[in-house]
Amino acid sequence: MTKKNEKENSLMDKIVSLAKRRGFIFPSSEIYGGFASCYDYGPLGVELKNNVKNLWWQEMIRTQNNIVGLDSAILMSPKIWQASGHLTAGFADELVECKECHKRFRKDHLEEESKTNCPDCGGALNEPRKFNLMMKTFVGPVEDEANITYLRAETCQGIYVNFANVLDSTRVKIPFGIAQIGKAFRNEITPGHFTFRTREFEQMEMQFFIKPHEADKWFNCWKEARMKWYLNLGLKKENLRFKEVAKKDLAHYAKRAVDIEYHFPEPMGWREIEGIHNRGDWDLSTHAKHSGKDLSYFDQDSKEKYIPWIIETSAGADRATLVFLVNAYQVVLGGRTTTTESTKEAEVVLKFDKKLAPIKIAVLPLVKNKEKVVKLTQKIFELLKAKYLTHYDEAGSIGRRYRRQDEIGTPYCLTVDFESLENQDVTVRDRDTMKQKRVKIGELVDYFKEKL
Amino acid sequence: MTKKNEKENSLMDKIVSLAKRRGFIFPSSEIYGGFASCYDYGPLGVELKNNVKNLWWQEMIRTQNNIVGLDSAILMSPKIWQASGHLTAGFADELVECKECHKRFRKDHLEEESKTNCPDCGGALNEPRKFNLMMKTFVGPVEDEANITYLRAETCQGIYVNFANVLDSTRVKIPFGIAQIGKAFRNEITPGHFTFRTREFEQMEMQFFIKPHEADKWFNCWKEARMKWYLNLGLKKENLRFKEVAKKDLAHYAKRAVDIEYHFPEPMGWREIEGIHNRGDWDLSTHAKHSGKDLSYFDQDSKEKYIPWIIETSAGADRATLVFLVNAYQVVLGGRTTTTESTKEAEVVLKFDKKLAPIKIAVLPLVKNKEKVVKLTQKIFELLKAKYLTHYDEAGSIGRRYRRQDEIGTPYCLTVDFESLENQDVTVRDRDTMKQKRVKIGELVDYFKEKL
């Protein structure tokens, strides 16, 4: 491992550690020893992730005129997964089993590492077998074949099977989209890299229904729009790129696929954070065939009837949350806080876009033992917390408190001091410019309305 | 069945039918014949449900100073369900099986209807057996006992097992709460009443951690606060009541429980929409014992160490959505629209609280064949849709369009007519007062800011 890798490796570890220490992300079931690469979002994490989801929803539903939302159930008829190909060859990993210790491994991973024997005990390996990624459950009183179903492996199937319902209940016309945020489950053999690949994950998918011959136009439109979304929310341009998926690697239903990749700290490197797919008419045709329901569209203007093609944008809410966390993480060597303590210590700042920051404002009394200062601070806190997620903190030196807020990415710290009592103003410190400004208490609401 | 019942029975059917026709709620997997009493939220339903969830979250996290959020995984260690008692006697229904046709029924339901034989074929019944409500799945490459886990049956367990994580990562002090919204799953034998009882459902739970001797105070405080929440969002007072759960019916962990009940149309009648529970120290003590982790709390002020007691408020996002839909539904006999068509037809209005309404404003050109009117309407639409979920509709007479918006509960319809071109003003119609008012286009943003 090179020196660079070692350093960046520990960077990812530091982010994971901060995430736990400050309540962004906890390992699930931790007091019972953890479970299956699942994670829980803590008090700050749930706000960050909700901000990501709300911003995506706003972009899809509010910014566009022709996208509507949907929230379909996780449990669906198994016939859907039969039709979509998820229960057959299309959605399986090849596994090999060790003849000695019976552990199983992904064939492609062993090949990557040129291993011909069991990586654990060195035993001989069996022939590869397909292993389906769908997670099975039983619905109804009897646990038998007839009652098997699966936790959905992707949210988009819920959109396809509701295509006719949406057409019948709204006034949408092609081109139009259906957007959905929701959990999906895949029994990954090798989950890992923190919340990047987990067995339970949340998708943000939008299916855009179009005239077949307009596929290229809309594909390019959505490809650019999705990249712009990440850039507008502060992802560094040099860490983003498009990757065209090679023809031979396309899923059986895909006409074209482009991934948006982000460069994570090593050893992760470039990884997909979203996919834009031209799925052709595969999904609606397949469900029409299997369900016997006509899923074609009648175009009132051109009097044509056709099966719409689909351009899909498929992002992960957990991946997006992780990428915004990683992208925000910065280490500064001293000088950020006004503390008289050692100013050359490494200080962490999460430079979230303001829209993403979990806590928008911290309200701090300069001292906690002067009743008048504390009372005024609490009055300001009550005023602001109705509008913005606001922290009140009186514990420790003001420098330490600034540092605590920097570490969770709070854009504004507001300090109430002795002068505030006389002049009815406070100090507002900007996380990014580090500038401090006196603002009249009566003008605070308008001040933050403009800033946030 | 009385005449009153017949009428109200069909009322529930009408609501279900409207919910499907206008895109609030669809039966899941419908093109494949439906599935397991699951439902999907359509374009309007997802907005309504999101409004319910956001308002609950705001009430918990923003209005209070001492409640933080959490979003734990659906998949958890099975040890949690072993400890909580969900895998043993506490969470099972007694079922009887017919010896002839092998169908299964809930014992308590057969008893209620005094049935001693199979309700389907009349055959003799077996002795009752316990049937566990947890939904099983397998995590990892091998489908065996060692890899079994369960979809969570309640979100609160994710809160209890993260109690120490939240204490360690935040500055919360008792009394404080942890709030969570998320899916849970129960293999109900008899789901039903539309989305009231489903196998997949979404909970909104808040666990409030307190000093043991303050349980009564906080129980009453939360009981009142939760009732107030429903009243403030427009539920009719006469359809709400508290129901004290009798000592003999309390769950094994509960010291006291009060349900908030709503009177649904017959045949449903009074039904629980939320429970307030004093759970004592049962949850934290049990998980401390089973996990070996100290889950006690050290009180910095009083220097006491104790296991906190818990007051829980447990609501359903689907139930709340249903109750707001049912409560909003009103039928008016004519006179609401300015149409010259038969004015004695029954017209449906969904009188949602404005905060709950999926669409806030409808923007309508009086006529669709005058380019100037249409252009001005679209300009106004673009202006408003950035701030509020807004519909543009130009199809059909203005009366029909008002009626369409009434039927989905849109609080404001804005009509652009010929006068608008000259005077730069529009007509705003209020759903509830039916009053129409001319408002200058330049003042619309401020007008709606005050109203919404």
Side-chain angles (χ1 to χ4, degrees):
Chain A
M1 195 180 271
T2 65
K3 208 161 179 184
K4 183 156 177 289
N5 275 0
E6 268 170 22
K7 183 178 147 245
E8 287 179 344
N9 203 349
S10 73
L11 173 58
M12 202 63 205
D13 292 343
K14 279 178 191 161
I15 293 171
V16 173
S17 156
L18 172 76
K20 183 174 176 216
R21 188 165 46 79
R22 297 306 308 270
F24 283 93
I25 301 171
F26 307 129
S28 170
S29 310
E30 198 185 13
I31 61 171
Y32 286 99
F35 185 70
S37 298
C38 287
Y39 290 91
D40 298 342
Y41 289 85
L44 295 180
V46 62
E47 299 295 341
L48 174 62
K49 192 178 174 190
N50 282 348
N51 290 342
V52 170
K53 291 195 282 183
N54 288 339
L55 287 163
W56 184 88
W57 193 256
Q58 219 170 299
E59 169 82 2
M60 289 295 168
I61 311 287
R62 299 263 168 112
T63 313
Q64 313 293 328
N65 298 336
N66 52 359
I67 300 183
V68 296
L70 188 82
D71 182 12
S72 66
I74 291 170
L75 300 176
M76 301 166 82
S77 168
K79 292 175 192 165
I80 291 171
W81 306 110
Q82 199 68 53
S84 68
H86 280 81
L87 295 183
T88 46
F91 198 67
D93 281 339
E94 278 199 287
L95 290 198
V96 288
E97 187 174 313
C98 172
K99 288 179 183 174
E100 306 291 324
C101 73
H102 300 286
K103 285 226 175 89
R104 297 183 191 186
F105 308 93
R106 266 173 67 166
K107 185 177 159 241
D108 55 343
H109 286 188
L110 293 185
E111 282 169 358
E112 265 174 34
E113 296 166 27
S114 317
K115 289 196 168 123
T116 49
N117 281 61
C118 173
D120 263 36
C121 76
L125 298 169
N126 274 323
E127 285 303 294
R129 282 196 317 156
K130 290 275 184 183
F131 170 73
N132 194 281
L133 297 181
M134 297 284 293
M135 291 181 74
K136 183 189 285 188
T137 192
F138 305 92
V139 168
V142 190
E143 199 172 286
D144 64 10
E145 284 295 315
N147 286 310
I148 287 180
T149 193
Y150 303 86
L151 307 187
R152 67 176 170 201
E154 55 186 30
T155 57
C156 58
Q157 297 298 329
I159 294 180
Y160 307 140
V161 298
N162 275 304
F163 174 72
N165 275 333
V166 171
L167 276 189
D168 292 346
S169 63
T170 66
R171 310 182 77 78
V172 289
K173 283 180 186 172
I174 276 179
F176 74 91
I178 304 178
Q180 174 163 236
I181 297 177
K183 289 272 175 106
F185 297 81
R186 294 181 190 176
N187 207 352
E188 299 281 355
I189 307 306
T190 49
H193 296 306
F194 198 31
T195 54
F196 184 81
R197 187 184 308 282
T198 51
R199 292 186 172 116
E200 172 180 341
F201 56 102
E202 195 155 11
Q203 294 189 302
M204 307 189 290
E205 296 198 312
M206 193 278 296
Q207 311 295 313
F208 204 69
F209 299 88
I210 56 166
K211 286 186 184 176
H213 68 268
E214 295 185 340
D216 287 345
K217 177 180 106 184
W218 286 114
F219 188 96
N220 289 325
C221 169
W222 280 110
K223 182 181 153 222
E224 298 304 328
R226 293 306 303 146
M227 179 62 99
K228 206 180 276 176
W229 188 75
Y230 290 105
L231 287 168
N232 284 346
L233 288 173
L235 289 200
K236 295 181 190 82
K237 204 171 180 179
E238 63 270 27
N239 286 338
L240 282 168
R241 73 178 184 195
F242 288 119
K243 189 186 167 195
E244 184 86 33
V245 177
K247 278 264 181 259
K248 67 173 177 53
D249 297 329
L250 288 176
H252 60 287
Y253 52 78
K255 306 262 179 204
R256 190 184 165 200
V258 165
D259 293 341
I260 296 178
E261 293 191 332
Y262 181 84
H263 193 266
F264 286 86
E266 299 298 339
M268 288 180 68
W270 289 102
R271 297 267 170 171
E272 179 198 342
I273 56 169
E274 173 155 354
I276 294 95
H277 310 126
N278 175 354
R279 303 180 64 119
D281 69 357
W282 197 84
D283 304 289
L284 291 180
S285 296
T286 303
H287 284 302
K289 198 177 89 187
H290 282 80
S291 71
K293 169 116 188 163
D294 181 7
L295 297 180
S296 60
Y297 174 84
F298 179 71
D299 196 311
Q300 298 281 358
D301 299 329
S302 67
K303 309 291 174 203
E304 290 170 278
K305 194 176 168 183
Y306 55 87
I307 300 269
W309 280 33
I310 292 172
I311 306 298
E312 167 186 71
T313 69
S314 175
D318 305 281
R319 277 188 192 184
T321 303
L322 179 61
V323 94
F324 287 123
L325 185 64
V326 165
N327 183 77
Y329 189 92
Q330 287 195 14
V331 181
V332 183
L333 274 182
R336 282 191 56 84
T337 59
T338 57
T339 169
T340 53
E341 300 155 34
S342 153
T343 50
K344 286 295 170 204
E345 253 178 73
E347 294 174 10
V348 171
V349 193
L350 291 186
K351 292 211 167 182
F352 290 123
D353 181 281
K354 288 171 197 170
K355 291 190 282 299
L356 288 167
I359 306 296
K360 306 297 186 198
I361 307 167
V363 178
L364 320 166
L366 184 67
V367 288
K368 71 167 171 177
N369 53 1
K370 295 291 172 200
E371 203 194 328
K372 280 188 180 170
V373 172
V374 168
K375 270 204 167 160
L376 181 60
T377 316
Q378 282 172 343
K379 211 180 102 188
I380 294 170
F381 172 59
E382 292 295 325
L383 178 79
L384 294 174
K385 87 180 170 68
K387 299 189 189 296
Y388 308 103
L389 208 49
T390 303
H391 262 182
Y392 174 86
D393 186 5
E394 58 174 38
S397 75
I398 193 73
R400 279 177 68 104
R401 281 180 277 161
Y402 281 161
R403 206 184 283 190
R404 272 206 293 268
Q405 295 298 332
D406 283 349
E407 207 183 38
I408 62 171
T410 306
Y412 297 103
C413 286
L414 183 162
T415 305
V416 179
D417 53 23
F418 296 104
E419 264 181 69
S420 306
L421 299 175
E422 277 178 46
N423 303 344
Q424 291 293 305
D425 62 3
V426 297
T427 299
V428 178
R429 171 183 178 271
D430 183 300
R431 180 198 67 196
D432 297 331
T433 66
M434 295 280 292
K435 283 196 182 131
Q436 307 207 356
K437 203 188 150 171
R438 294 299 286 192
V439 179
K440 289 280 173 202
I441 293 170
E443 291 163 13
L444 278 173
V445 169
D446 282 339
Y447 179 81
F448 286 118
K449 200 163 134 193
E450 196 212 309
K451 292 277 182 184
L452 288 165
Chain B
M1 198 181 271
T2 65
K3 210 162 179 184
K4 181 154 179 291
N5 275 359
E6 267 169 24
K7 181 176 147 246
E8 288 180 343
N9 204 349
S10 73
L11 173 59
M12 201 64 205
D13 292 344
K14 280 178 190 163
I15 294 171
V16 173
S17 158
L18 171 77
K20 185 177 175 214
R21 187 165 46 79
R22 296 307 308 269
F24 283 93
I25 302 171
F26 307 129
S28 170
S29 309
E30 198 185 13
I31 62 172
Y32 286 99
F35 186 70
S37 298
C38 286
Y39 290 90
D40 298 342
Y41 290 85
L44 295 181
V46 62
E47 299 295 342
L48 174 61
K49 191 178 174 188
N50 282 348
N51 290 343
V52 170
K53 291 195 282 184
N54 288 340
L55 287 164
W56 184 88
W57 193 256
Q58 220 170 300
E59 168 83 2
M60 289 297 170
I61 311 288
R62 298 265 167 110
T63 313
Q64 313 292 329
N65 298 336
N66 52 358
I67 299 183
V68 297
L70 188 83
D71 182 12
S72 67
I74 291 170
L75 300 175
M76 301 165 82
S77 169
K79 291 176 193 164
I80 291 170
W81 306 110
Q82 201 66 56
S84 68
H86 281 79
L87 295 182
T88 46
F91 199 67
D93 281 339
E94 277 198 288
L95 290 197
V96 288
E97 187 174 315
C98 171
K99 287 178 182 173
E100 306 291 323
C101 71
H102 300 287
K103 286 225 175 90
R104 298 184 190 185
F105 308 92
R106 265 175 67 168
K107 184 178 160 240
D108 55 343
H109 287 188
L110 294 185
E111 282 170 355
E112 264 172 36
E113 297 166 29
S114 318
K115 287 194 170 124
T116 49
N117 282 61
C118 174
D120 264 34
C121 75
L125 298 169
N126 273 324
E127 285 303 296
R129 281 198 317 158
K130 290 277 185 183
F131 170 73
N132 194 280
L133 297 181
M134 297 285 292
M135 292 182 74
K136 185 190 282 188
T137 192
F138 305 91
V139 168
V142 191
E143 199 172 287
D144 64 8
E145 284 294 317
N147 286 309
I148 287 180
T149 193
Y150 302 86
L151 308 187
R152 67 177 170 199
E154 55 186 29
T155 56
C156 58
Q157 297 297 330
I159 295 180
Y160 307 141
V161 298
N162 275 304
F163 173 72
N165 274 333
V166 172
L167 276 188
D168 292 346
S169 64
T170 66
R171 308 183 79 77
V172 289
K173 283 180 187 172
I174 277 179
F176 75 92
I178 305 177
Q180 174 163 236
I181 297 176
K183 290 271 175 106
F185 298 81
R186 293 182 191 175
N187 206 352
E188 299 281 354
I189 307 306
T190 49
H193 297 304
F194 198 31
T195 55
F196 183 82
R197 189 183 306 281
T198 51
R199 292 187 172 116
E200 173 180 341
F201 56 102
E202 196 156 9
Q203 295 189 301
M204 308 189 289
E205 296 198 314
M206 193 279 296
Q207 311 295 314
F208 203 70
F209 299 89
I210 56 166
K211 285 187 185 176
H213 68 269
E214 294 186 341
D216 287 344
K217 178 179 104 183
W218 286 113
F219 188 95
N220 290 325
C221 168
W222 280 110
K223 180 181 156 225
E224 298 303 328
R226 293 307 302 147
M227 179 63 98
K228 206 179 276 176
W229 188 75
Y230 290 105
L231 287 168
N232 285 345
L233 288 172
L235 289 200
K236 295 182 191 81
K237 204 171 179 180
E238 63 270 27
N239 286 338
L240 281 169
R241 73 177 184 195
F242 288 119
K243 188 184 166 196
E244 184 85 33
V245 177
K247 278 265 180 260
K248 68 176 177 50
D249 297 328
L250 288 175
H252 60 286
Y253 52 77
K255 305 261 179 205
R256 189 183 165 198
V258 165
D259 292 343
I260 296 178
E261 293 191 331
Y262 181 84
H263 193 265
F264 287 87
E266 300 298 338
M268 288 180 68
W270 288 103
R271 297 265 170 173
E272 178 196 343
I273 57 170
E274 173 155 353
I276 294 95
H277 309 126
N278 174 355
R279 303 180 63 119
D281 69 357
W282 196 83
D283 305 288
L284 291 180
S285 296
T286 304
H287 283 302
K289 196 177 91 188
H290 281 79
S291 71
K293 169 115 185 163
D294 181 7
L295 297 180
S296 60
Y297 175 83
F298 180 71
D299 195 312
Q300 298 281 356
D301 299 330
S302 67
K303 309 292 173 202
E304 290 169 277
K305 194 176 169 184
Y306 55 87
I307 301 269
W309 280 33
I310 292 173
I311 306 298
E312 167 186 70
T313 70
S314 176
D318 305 280
R319 276 188 192 185
T321 303
L322 179 61
V323 94
F324 287 123
L325 186 64
V326 165
N327 184 77
Y329 189 91
Q330 287 194 14
V331 182
V332 182
L333 274 182
R336 283 192 55 85
T337 60
T338 57
T339 171
T340 54
E341 300 155 34
S342 152
T343 50
K344 286 296 171 205
E345 254 178 72
E347 294 174 10
V348 171
V349 194
L350 290 186
K351 292 211 166 182
F352 290 124
D353 181 281
K354 289 170 196 169
K355 291 190 283 299
L356 288 167
I359 307 297
K360 307 297 186 199
I361 308 168
V363 178
L364 320 167
L366 184 66
V367 288
K368 71 167 172 178
N369 53 1
K370 296 290 173 202
E371 202 194 329
K372 280 189 180 170
V373 171
V374 168
K375 269 205 168 160
L376 182 58
T377 316
Q378 282 172 344
K379 211 181 102 188
I380 294 170
F381 172 58
E382 291 295 324
L383 178 80
L384 294 174
K385 87 180 170 67
K387 298 189 189 297
Y388 307 103
L389 208 48
T390 303
H391 263 183
Y392 174 85
D393 186 5
E394 57 175 37
S397 75
I398 193 74
R400 278 177 68 103
R401 282 181 276 161
Y402 281 161
R403 207 185 281 192
R404 273 208 291 271
Q405 295 298 332
D406 282 350
E407 207 184 37
I408 62 171
T410 306
Y412 298 102
C413 285
L414 183 160
T415 305
V416 179
D417 53 25
F418 297 104
E419 265 182 67
S420 305
L421 299 174
E422 279 179 43
N423 302 345
Q424 291 294 305
D425 62 3
V426 297
T427 299
V428 178
R429 171 181 178 273
D430 183 301
R431 180 198 68 197
D432 298 330
T433 66
M434 297 277 292
K435 285 199 180 126
Q436 304 206 359
K437 203 188 149 167
R438 295 298 286 190
V439 179
K440 291 279 174 205
I441 293 170
E443 291 163 13
L444 277 173
V445 169
D446 283 339
Y447 180 82
F448 286 119
K449 200 163 132 192
E450 197 211 310
K451 291 278 183 184
L452 289 164

